[in-house]
Amino acid sequence: MAASRRSPLLSWTVVVPLLSVVVLAVSWGRDLGPVPVAVVALALAGTVLAAVHHAEVVAHRVGEPFGSLVLAVAVTVIEVALIVTMMASGGPEAASLARDTVFAAVMITMNGIAGISLMVGARRYGETHFNPEGSGAALATVATLATLSLVLPTFTSSTPGPEFSGTQLTFAALASLLLYGLFVLTQTVRHRDFFLPVETDGSVKAEEHAEPPTNKAALTSLGLLVVALVAVVGLAKVESPAIEAGVSAAGFPQSFVGVVIALLVLLPETLAAVRAAQRDRMQTSLNLAYGSAIASIGLTIPAIALASIWLTGPLLLGLGATQIVLLVLTVLVSALTVVPGRATRLQGGVHLVLLAGFLVLAINP
């Protein structure tokens, strides 16, 4: 009886984000020893789990595909803020941070989130089903954005090095915003049914039977989601000196810091996608995976282009040869995965191997 009367304000999903803000305020701008670093890491992990919970509450209230869009946009906005902040405070090594983080986000979403979700769903149900029209459209958008923003700077000749000239960067930023806007319009208005979970015969699944939360509960969760995401990125920034020191101590290249940032920021979406796969809603998982990749490029590149007005130093966006090969292979394999509209554990395993290859080459180029 006592448990049933307990106020929702005492829930861990409410307490943890608020405590994390306190931890962030106390630890911000200080040199932390091993124990405080461990405390910050625990707060970070707990806040990530709370963010997933609140994202799912909001998603349940607004329905798909708006629900997965909420988390994708929220996480990416915070990711952009983190990249710009670290580039402004960093030295010459920060010139490639945007490229490293965005490319890591693309590889993690397309191979990690999609691969784990496919593996989990196929292991539980034997075969996963999704809408090839929606997934294919999202994949085409990711491939175009990644090529315009991350591949072309390697081959342009207006400026030395893998970077755009001012005109080229402006075009890439405007094209990214346009494609992102078109994708959101397609996903949420014009062809919303392409992005809804489907049955084995291709028909749209019925909405989940659980009673949706009230507007008040959804708005509360939305506010706590924003608080949690801000705390996640803030705590990740507090941890960044320890991360950089750990990367250097391990002998990894500094570009691996971008991988760590992407892994931390995308953890809420990964957990949300896996939970959707466990409920046999693979389209939701792919919406999260590809939608996060689209938002990561479509919002980050324009923001970095705008920030470059006052940021000093070069802005290196072009990928190296090894990274381009990985990106091309990922796009080809993803196309073969989504075209049939169904997948097994084999497809999930292939994507996870590609993710592992990316991580190995990021550690040992």
Side-chain angles (χ1 to χ4, degrees):
M1 180 67 70
S4 64
R5 292 179 179 176
R6 185 175 55 188
S7 169
L9 293 177
L10 299 180
S11 169
W12 72 270
T13 57
V14 175
V15 173
V16 168
L18 298 179
L19 282 179
S20 294
V21 172
V22 175
V23 172
L24 176 60
V26 171
S27 59
W28 187 263
R30 303 189 180 206
D31 291 330
L32 303 180
V35 174
V37 165
V39 171
V40 171
L42 288 174
L44 180 60
T47 308
V48 165
L49 296 176
V52 172
H53 167 80
H54 292 300
E56 290 183 337
V57 171
V58 175
H60 192 192
R61 178 61 191 173
V62 301
E64 285 298 323
F66 297 97
S68 55
L69 186 64
V70 168
L71 184 57
V73 173
V75 169
T76 305
V77 168
I78 302 301
E79 176 188 338
V80 168
L82 178 59
I83 292 173
V84 172
T85 301
M86 293 189 70
M87 288 186 68
S89 60
E93 294 180 347
S96 63
L97 181 62
R99 176 198 66 192
D100 297 333
T101 305
V102 170
F103 179 63
V106 171
M107 297 301 291
I108 291 167
T109 53
M110 295 180 69
N111 290 319
I113 296 179
I116 293 173
S117 299
L118 290 169
M119 185 68 76
V120 168
R123 186 174 183 274
R124 185 163 188 175
Y125 299 100
E127 191 176 72
T128 61
H129 294 83
F130 43 86
N131 194 322
E133 286 88 354
S135 301
L139 177 60
T141 308
V142 175
T144 302
L145 285 170
T147 301
L148 286 175
S149 301
L150 301 177
V151 176
L152 287 182
T154 303
F155 300 99
T156 54
S157 57
S158 296
T159 55
E163 56 181 306
F164 275 142
S165 66
T167 301
Q168 292 165 346
L169 184 59
T170 301
F171 167 75
L174 293 176
S176 297
L177 282 176
L178 175 62
L179 285 176
Y180 181 74
L182 285 173
F183 174 76
V184 171
L185 180 65
T186 301
Q187 185 185 36
T188 59
V189 181
R190 301 291 296 180
H191 299 284
R192 182 173 178 268
D193 54 315
F194 286 0
F195 299 89
L196 298 177
V198 296
E199 302 284 359
T200 56
D201 61 358
S203 60
V204 174
K205 277 182 178 288
E207 292 290 338
E208 295 180 318
H209 297 296
E211 187 70 22
T214 62
N215 287 333
K216 180 180 178 181
L219 289 174
T220 301
S221 284
L222 180 60
L224 287 169
L225 173 62
V226 173
V227 171
L229 290 174
V230 170
V232 165
V233 174
L235 292 173
K237 183 168 176 57
V238 170
E239 286 280 288
S240 62
I243 293 171
E244 292 174 352
V247 167
S248 298
F252 298 165
Q254 280 300 305
S255 60
F256 195 76
V257 173
V259 178
V260 176
I261 293 173
L263 286 170
L264 288 172
V265 173
L266 290 171
L267 187 54
E269 291 168 303
T270 303
L271 296 177
V274 170
R275 289 186 180 182
Q278 290 174 334
R279 302 195 305 270
D280 197 22
R281 304 181 81 82
M282 184 54 59
Q283 186 62 52
T284 300
S285 300
L286 293 181
N287 288 347
L288 283 166
Y290 295 146
S292 299
I294 293 169
S296 182
I297 306 173
L299 296 178
T300 299
I301 298 303
I304 295 299
L306 184 62
S308 66
I309 296 174
W310 68 84
L311 289 175
T312 59
L315 177 60
L316 305 182
L317 290 177
L319 298 174
T322 302
Q323 296 168 317
I324 292 175
V325 170
L326 283 173
L327 178 62
V328 171
L329 183 57
T330 294
V331 171
L332 290 175
V333 170
S334 298
L336 295 174
T337 296
V338 304
V339 164
R342 63 184 188 277
T344 65
R345 281 179 285 188
L346 175 60
Q347 282 88 349
V350 170
H351 283 286
L352 291 178
V353 167
L354 282 174
L355 175 66
F358 160 71
L359 293 175
V360 169
L361 292 173
I363 293 171
N364 186 16

